[in-house]
Amino acid sequence: MTVQDRRRRDRGPKGRGLDDTALADVRALLGSRQRRRDLLIEFLHLIQDAYGHLSARHLRALAEEMRLSQAEVYEVASFYDHFDVIKEGEVPPAPLTIRVCDSVSCMLAGAEELVAGLAAGVDPNAVRVVRAPCMGRCAGAPAARIGDREVDNATVEGLLGMAQAGDTEVVVPGYIDLDAYRAAGGYALLQKVRNGGLTIESIIAAMQNAGLRGLGGAGFPAGKKWEFVRSYAGPRLMSINGDEGEPGTFKDRVYLERDPHRTLEGALIAAHAVEAERIYFYMRDEYPAVLQILRTEIAALEAAGIAAPGFIELRRGAGAYICGEESAMLESIEGKRGMPRHRPPYIAEVGLFGRPTLNHNVETLWWIRDIVEKGPEWFAAQGKPGHPGVRSWSVSGRVRNPGVKLAPAGVTVRELIDEYCGGMLEGHTFKAYLPGGASGGILPASLGDIPLDFGGELAKQGAFVGSHAVVVFSDRDNIKDVTVNLLKFFKHESCGQCTPCREGTGKMVSLLKKDGALNEAGLRDLESVMRDASICGLGQAAPNPVNHLLTHFREDI
């Protein structure tokens, strides 16, 4: 034996050793579930939920059980915000976590004061207080989550009281369950489609005549999407994008908390139309009540024989805004880091697990039943001239009555404020607005009469309607502060895959926060590079608020 061999023997095997107790823990949690690679994130959730964090020994054991490298498991676990990876020698987080939303609507409502008050009032060994991006509860800003309980209009006293009382479990609102939905005619349309009483071609024509578009942000015509997916050879799959992470957006949560089966019936019709073998419903982890509703109602569909067991597979996100991008969402469903894919090919051709995939937003599916039963003319007529259809607008900020407002496509922000939200808050004067969430840009009140819809005059202003999230600002708000908040969000949520977005968002925040006159030339240069060279829409749209700050709000610079 050489000297080097003896040294290797004395040092023992390299790498992290396997802990037999941890392996037994993991096997007990996984139970009889198949050890499929695409279930990695689901298994990480099981460990996080059971132990409050992901210890190094449990990650090592999970890698052993799934026959994956430790690096492969670690890179996925460390990508998502809702996983707490704890290495040897590190202190696990406190047993209770309070997350406080610090996105733009909650910032206006006092999120900073809420964070500071909580930090001063808790025992850090018992309660962890963390900032969190948009929780989709903007109408009840400031929003928080204590354990699994979602809290609107959160206060320091209220949250501390809940912590002391142990009032941290998920609260499910009242909603229309399967029995109530069927009693009102639900799933009759699905049965008619399955029996051949309605052709797929007629449903596609109805959606096209109605002007139904994707309502998650891109606005692609829904009927065309079905045709594209059907044109590629099977087997095919379907996904539902419930990762509603755009700051200011909460319409999908409201629909699923009130009437989930409208979306589920629309999904089953769409899956039938493209002959999808399975539906993967990807729901953001920030919505624990929605997740519980979906688990309950999908099980009810299976028990009633409306959906075969396992046909609708619920997947739980883990805190990553980028997974709202459709290809990043598919990567996450496959158990990987949520990084956008290069295109082409598009997911209609090469999607989930390499198969042609139909992907829809929650609200898009929600309207299918009404359009087919009431007719495409009914839906189209609800829009303004040249803007067919009705839209669900998530409105928050400095308005009297925020919430989801059903209003025509082509409505203006002034109409939303005055006719649907009861006007501005007392003592506030309309100054500016986000027409489409954080990435849709910031426009001044002087442009408050532009029709809000895909393309058109809004696009000419370098803005877009996106997910139909409208945040209203007043004369009490500094638009530079708003812009910094939005860019800090993009910096945090960049997946890091491409340099223009990863470095550009951080650099923009630094330039905006620097004392003295803004380096406008530097900001414009970054804007150009990010738009031209970023892989996906996050990096391409992130400069929109900066562009509008420099163009329309020079008094706030």
Side-chain angles (χ1 to χ4, degrees):
M1 180 180 292
T2 66
V3 173
Q4 286 182 333
D5 288 338
R6 284 196 295 272
R7 288 175 177 170
R8 292 193 188 99
R9 179 197 63 190
D10 294 341
R11 284 197 300 262
K14 290 184 177 180
R16 182 174 285 116
L18 179 63
D19 183 311
D20 290 338
T21 302
L23 183 60
D25 292 341
V26 168
R27 285 175 172 169
L29 287 172
L30 270 56
S32 61
R33 297 175 178 85
Q34 294 181 355
R35 272 52 167 173
R36 295 183 349 227
R37 174 64 179 80
D38 63 290
L39 292 175
L40 174 58
I41 293 172
E42 297 298 309
F43 294 162
L44 290 170
H45 273 303
L46 290 174
I47 300 171
Q48 174 80 32
D49 292 345
Y51 295 99
H53 63 280
L54 302 175
S55 67
R57 66 192 190 95
H58 281 132
L59 290 177
R60 169 70 178 89
L62 182 60
E64 178 75 15
E65 184 67 8
M66 295 190 70
R67 299 295 187 264
L68 298 173
S69 70
Q70 292 184 66
E72 199 169 356
V73 173
Y74 178 80
E75 74 172 7
V76 173
S78 60
F79 182 85
Y80 296 93
D81 273 357
H82 288 195
F83 294 139
D84 296 304
V85 178
I86 304 298
K87 297 180 181 179
E88 294 90 347
E90 294 181 344
V91 179
L96 177 63
T97 296
I98 300 178
R99 300 180 187 275
V100 178
C101 176
D102 66 356
S103 285
V104 64
S105 297
C106 290
M107 178 192 80
L108 300 180
E112 293 299 322
E113 293 82 0
L114 182 58
V115 170
L118 287 170
V122 302
D123 175 2
N125 295 315
V127 180
R128 174 177 62 159
V129 179
V130 297
R131 296 171 178 272
C134 188
M135 295 180 175
R137 308 195 71 84
C138 318
R145 174 175 168 180
I146 179 167
D148 280 336
R149 175 163 185 166
E150 301 162 273
V151 181
D152 289 343
N153 304 306
T155 64
V156 173
E157 295 76 16
L159 290 169
L160 292 180
M162 290 178 190
Q164 187 173 7
D167 192 4
T168 62
E169 298 301 314
V170 61
V171 176
V172 176
Y175 66 92
I176 299 172
D177 65 8
L178 178 59
D179 289 341
Y181 184 73
R182 294 182 78 180
Y187 291 104
L189 177 61
L190 173 65
Q191 192 60 46
K192 187 175 182 181
V193 171
R194 286 175 170 174
N195 291 340
L198 275 177
T199 66
I200 301 305
E201 290 74 16
S202 68
I203 298 175
I204 292 175
M207 291 196 297
Q208 291 177 337
N209 292 335
L212 181 65
R213 306 179 73 159
L215 298 173
F220 193 84
K224 282 289 184 184
K225 189 179 289 189
W226 289 21
E227 289 180 335
F228 284 147
V229 174
R230 281 162 56 90
S231 71
Y232 295 107
R236 308 181 189 98
L237 296 170
M238 179 177 172
S239 59
I240 303 173
N241 191 339
D243 199 62
E244 184 179 53
E246 184 73 31
T249 313
F250 49 93
K251 60 185 178 62
D252 292 349
R253 174 187 61 79
V254 169
Y255 282 134
L256 291 174
E257 285 182 346
R258 294 178 180 174
D259 195 359
H261 284 283
R262 282 195 178 272
T263 290
L264 291 170
E265 183 172 15
L268 289 168
I269 292 170
H272 179 85
V274 300
E275 299 175 350
E277 293 189 346
R278 181 170 291 189
I279 298 171
Y280 290 84
F281 200 141
Y282 189 89
M283 177 50 57
R284 69 189 309 230
D285 195 39
E286 289 83 352
Y287 291 170
V290 171
L291 282 163
Q292 188 160 317
I293 289 169
L294 289 175
R295 291 187 194 103
T296 300
E297 296 309 311
I298 290 170
L301 285 175
E302 294 176 352
I306 295 173
F311 182 75
I312 304 175
E313 188 166 330
L314 182 62
R315 291 299 183 89
R316 180 178 166 192
Y321 165 76
I322 191 62
C323 290
E325 196 277 340
E326 62 179 11
S327 67
M329 180 195 67
L330 298 190
E331 290 287 298
S332 189
I333 292 173
E334 292 179 3
K336 304 171 186 174
R337 294 177 294 170
M339 290 190 167
R341 299 174 180 176
H342 291 273
R343 294 176 290 183
Y346 293 90
I347 70 167
E349 179 182 5
V350 181
L352 191 57
F353 307 118
R355 298 183 181 185
T357 301
L358 175 67
N359 179 59
H360 270 312
N361 163 261
V362 167
E363 190 196 352
T364 307
L365 296 169
W366 203 88
W367 286 113
I368 289 176
R369 177 185 168 191
D370 277 343
I371 288 172
V372 176
E373 289 183 344
K374 299 178 180 180
E377 298 80 8
W378 165 83
F379 184 82
Q382 295 188 62
K384 294 289 188 78
H387 304 275
V390 66
R391 300 281 192 269
S392 305
W393 304 90
S394 304
V395 186
S396 62
R398 307 296 195 181
V399 294
R400 288 182 185 272
N401 301 309
V404 176
K405 310 296 179 180
L406 273 180
V411 71
T412 69
V413 71
R414 285 192 199 279
E415 291 170 332
L416 283 173
I417 294 169
D418 295 336
E419 299 175 23
Y420 294 87
C421 297
M424 298 290 291
L425 285 172
E426 186 71 29
H428 290 257
T429 301
F430 178 36
K431 175 179 179 178
Y433 67 106
L434 306 184
S439 53
I442 311 174
L443 296 181
S446 61
L447 296 176
D449 296 311
I450 293 176
L452 298 180
D453 204 354
F454 299 104
E457 181 60 30
L458 196 62
K460 294 177 183 177
Q461 297 295 333
F464 55 81
V465 77
S467 59
H468 297 76
V470 175
V471 182
V472 179
F473 306 106
S474 78
D475 55 337
R476 300 189 187 184
D477 301 316
N478 182 288
I479 303 305
K480 182 182 176 184
D481 292 342
V482 171
T483 303
V484 170
N485 179 282
L486 300 178
L487 266 294
K488 287 171 69 177
F489 169 80
F490 289 127
K491 174 187 176 183
H492 178 265
E493 296 297 337
S494 173
C495 76
Q497 180 178 188
C498 67
T499 303
C501 177
R502 181 185 65 243
E503 301 300 324
T505 51
K507 186 65 174 176
M508 275 191 164
V509 171
S510 297
L511 290 175
L512 287 168
K513 294 178 70 175
K514 191 173 181 180
D515 292 335
L518 283 182
N519 180 356
E520 296 190 35
L523 286 168
R524 289 298 189 187
D525 186 49
L526 276 173
E527 176 189 357
S528 177
V529 171
M530 290 172 68
R531 291 194 194 282
D532 292 343
S534 294
I535 290 174
C536 80
L538 192 159
Q540 294 163 9
N544 284 345
V546 176
N547 170 40
H548 290 139
L549 170 68
L550 300 180
T551 303
H552 298 298
F553 303 98
R554 302 199 61 82
E555 69 279 7
D556 285 353
I557 294 177

